[in-house]
Amino acid sequence: DPVVGGDAKEKIALRRAIAMAFPRNETIAAIRRGQAVPVNYVIPEGVAGHNPAFKGSVKYDPAAANALLDRFGYKVGADGLRTLPDGKPLSIEMATGTSGIDKQWNEYWQKAFDSLKIKLTFKYGKWNELDKANRQGKLQMWGVAWSADYTDGENFMQLLYGKNAAQDTALASPLNTLRYHSRAFDTRFEQAIHEPDENVRSRLLAEAENIAMNDVPAIPLYHDRSVLLTSPRVMNLRPNPLDLMDLGTVWFNHKQVPAQ
């Protein structure tokens, strides 16, 4: 995408600033009712490849986010809104549904963009319509979630693997609809999926995650906290760990295709 995509330093700075301006903790308390854990990483606890020492490169700090935009040439114009480094107007469009909970999320996103002095517009639509547009590369920014299929970091990292990118793969349902490409990430991911040593595999996945999070192709927001209620008469119940591994993210499109 010409505005939010790519690996140029100013593009990474823009995505990082947006991530720094979004109040994860507030949304978890108000919208998720506290039933989620804020994260700056992708691979959750209990999954091979999770790095407990990894804190992420993004922290909530609107003041620092504005300073970052200033540094990389996103100047505030006479209308009080920021421009692109080349002086052209800066505007970002976020796809969203129309439900009550969507409206709650949108209020927080609007607040975040207002704090950055960046114009934000919303593209409204039904889930199936937006999902199709996302796969076709016609959305600029969109919130999605992912539930684990198996307890290995590969299941999450595959969403960022270059060869799984939409329009670059023959997959009927492309996994990497962000269209994120990083040679450094792909190299470690490929080494990891063929590595029999679990410790080495985990290290490679953690390194891949660190590379991706520095590029900020997406904004990890939270992992869901599952609550299981049972009767005292139910015995020997063991929760399925896969039910506990959900990730909520906001994705940036790195290779936007014009709408037809």
Side-chain angles (χ1 to χ4, degrees):
D1 181 80
V3 177
V4 298
D7 56 5
K9 290 183 178 179
E10 68 272 15
K11 302 299 184 182
I12 295 175
L14 174 60
R15 297 194 298 267
R16 179 169 289 124
I18 294 172
M20 293 168 68
F22 191 76
R24 291 176 182 81
N25 290 339
E26 286 186 38
T27 60
I28 289 173
I31 302 176
R32 303 299 297 172
R33 300 294 191 267
Q35 298 305 308
V37 180
V39 295
N40 282 316
Y41 51 82
V42 176
I43 304 176
E45 296 181 27
V47 175
H50 172 71
N51 181 5
F54 181 70
K55 301 299 182 182
S57 58
V58 177
K59 295 182 179 180
Y60 178 62
D61 192 337
N66 276 281
L68 182 63
L69 293 174
D70 292 338
R71 176 185 171 190
F72 282 89
Y74 294 92
K75 299 180 180 179
V76 178
D79 59 357
L81 296 173
R82 291 189 183 275
T83 63
L84 292 165
D86 62 6
K88 295 180 180 179
L90 169 59
S91 179
I92 293 177
E93 182 183 72
M94 186 168 191
T96 176
T98 57
S99 69
I101 195 169
D102 287 321
K103 293 178 181 178
Q104 291 182 63
W105 281 107
N106 294 345
E107 289 177 1
Y108 281 99
W109 280 111
Q110 187 66 67
K111 177 181 176 181
F113 274 79
D114 287 347
S115 73
L116 296 174
K117 303 178 181 66
I118 296 177
K119 181 180 179 180
L120 174 67
T121 60
F122 293 102
K123 178 183 178 68
Y124 296 98
K126 297 179 180 179
W127 166 262
N128 61 320
E129 297 170 344
L130 296 178
D131 182 52
K132 180 180 179 180
N134 180 49
R135 295 175 186 278
Q136 295 175 339
K138 296 177 181 178
L139 301 184
Q140 190 171 50
M141 186 175 174
W142 192 30
V144 295
W146 179 259
S147 297
D149 301 296
Y150 46 92
T151 56
D152 191 281
E154 175 194 350
N155 194 246
F156 292 89
M157 292 292 96
Q158 65 181 340
L159 304 177
L160 301 169
Y161 182 41
K163 292 184 179 179
N164 286 341
Q167 298 185 347
D168 299 332
T169 178
L171 291 174
S173 298
L175 295 165
N176 180 1
T177 55
L178 298 83
R179 294 162 178 78
Y180 172 66
H181 290 78
S182 166
R183 182 175 298 178
F185 175 94
D186 288 353
T187 297
R188 286 165 176 78
F189 179 82
E190 290 171 352
Q191 291 174 341
I193 61 178
H194 295 104
E195 175 56 55
D197 187 303
E198 184 175 347
N199 291 329
V200 176
R201 177 185 176 85
S202 293
R203 176 179 59 79
L204 289 168
L205 288 173
E207 290 178 2
E209 180 180 43
N210 188 62
I211 291 169
M213 290 301 93
N214 283 331
D215 289 341
V216 201
I219 306 175
L221 297 178
Y222 59 84
H223 288 302
D224 277 325
R225 176 181 286 131
S226 296
V227 178
L228 180 64
L229 301 178
T230 65
S231 166
R233 294 173 292 178
V234 176
M235 306 297 290
N236 301 319
L237 177 65
R238 295 183 180 181
N240 184 339
L242 288 178
D243 291 338
L244 310 179
M245 297 174 185
D246 293 334
L247 171 67
T249 62
V250 168
W251 291 8
F252 295 104
N253 190 353
H254 289 257
K255 189 177 179 182
Q256 190 174 42
V257 177
Q260 299 299 319

